[in-house]
Amino acid sequence: MNEEYFEILLKLAKKASKKNEVPISVLIVKDGKIISKAYNKRERNNNVLDHAEIIAIKKASKKLKDWRLFDCDLYVTLKPCGICENVIKQSRISNVYYLLDKPENKKEYFKTKISKTNICTYEQMYKVILTNFFQKKRDKK
């Protein structure tokens, strides 16, 4: 691993901290070249999605013109939260390297209740839409 990456991560984390953001920073690297970097901007943008990882993934996807970030590695200062971990997996990033685990006593605020509806008619109609969509994708290959 390139120590230069970690020096850049620390500089970005300090920058985030000065801007009153949780000091988490990210680099995305492909073929040994940094293609994206970011730090948290949730407070600045009042946006729950503006985690460093998500911002960096959006930038990398735009640069590569593909949401699939095959053969890319992600370097981050703190182990990714559940949201970011799932986005990272969905983006097909190959490896994640982080400096620090989250504190064990960190509070999680999950109070949202998620429930499946029981409206069978619409469930079936949506199932047809979804099935047809993926069937067309398979037929094009």
Side-chain angles (χ1 to χ4, degrees):
M1 277 182 249
N2 189 330
E3 285 189 34
E4 179 187 340
Y5 298 160
F6 296 104
E7 288 180 25
I8 294 168
L9 284 173
L10 293 178
K11 284 180 187 175
L12 288 170
K14 287 177 186 175
K15 187 174 182 178
S17 183
K18 285 179 185 175
K19 295 184 179 207
N20 201 34
E21 295 286 352
V22 176
I24 297 172
S25 56
V26 173
L27 300 176
I28 296 179
V29 176
K30 184 175 176 82
D31 300 325
K33 182 180 178 195
I34 297 170
I35 62 166
S36 176
K37 55 187 175 181
Y39 57 86
N40 275 7
K41 292 184 179 176
R42 290 194 326 166
E43 298 300 326
R44 175 180 155 201
N45 296 339
N46 290 316
N47 189 328
V48 71
L49 298 175
D50 281 350
H51 292 224
E53 296 91 333
I54 294 172
I55 295 168
I57 287 168
K58 287 172 69 175
K59 287 179 176 180
S61 295
K62 186 174 182 177
K63 184 167 189 158
L64 297 178
K65 295 180 174 68
D66 195 345
W67 62 268
R68 296 169 201 87
L69 301 178
F70 294 120
D71 303 319
C72 289
D73 294 329
L74 186 144
Y75 294 81
V76 61
T77 49
L78 190 65
K79 183 178 180 182
C81 70
I83 295 167
C84 293
E85 188 176 318
N86 283 311
V87 172
I88 290 164
K89 288 176 184 177
Q90 286 289 319
S91 70
R92 316 299 200 261
I93 286 174
S94 299
N95 299 292
V96 175
Y97 303 101
Y98 65 91
L99 290 173
L100 193 64
D101 282 309
K102 285 187 267 180
E104 288 182 32
N105 61 350
K106 182 182 184 298
K107 283 188 176 184
E108 300 285 343
Y109 295 96
F110 298 121
K111 300 193 186 293
T112 303
K113 184 178 176 185
I114 299 174
S115 306
K116 185 178 182 303
T117 64
N118 292 317
I119 307 174
C120 295
T121 306
Y122 292 105
E123 180 182 328
Q124 284 305 108
M125 290 166 57
Y126 175 64
K127 188 175 180 179
V128 169
I129 292 168
L130 193 61
T131 302
N132 288 344
F133 175 82
F134 285 108
Q135 186 61 51
K136 286 178 186 175
K137 288 273 194 194
R138 283 190 293 277
D139 291 346
K140 286 183 180 180
K141 291 183 178 182

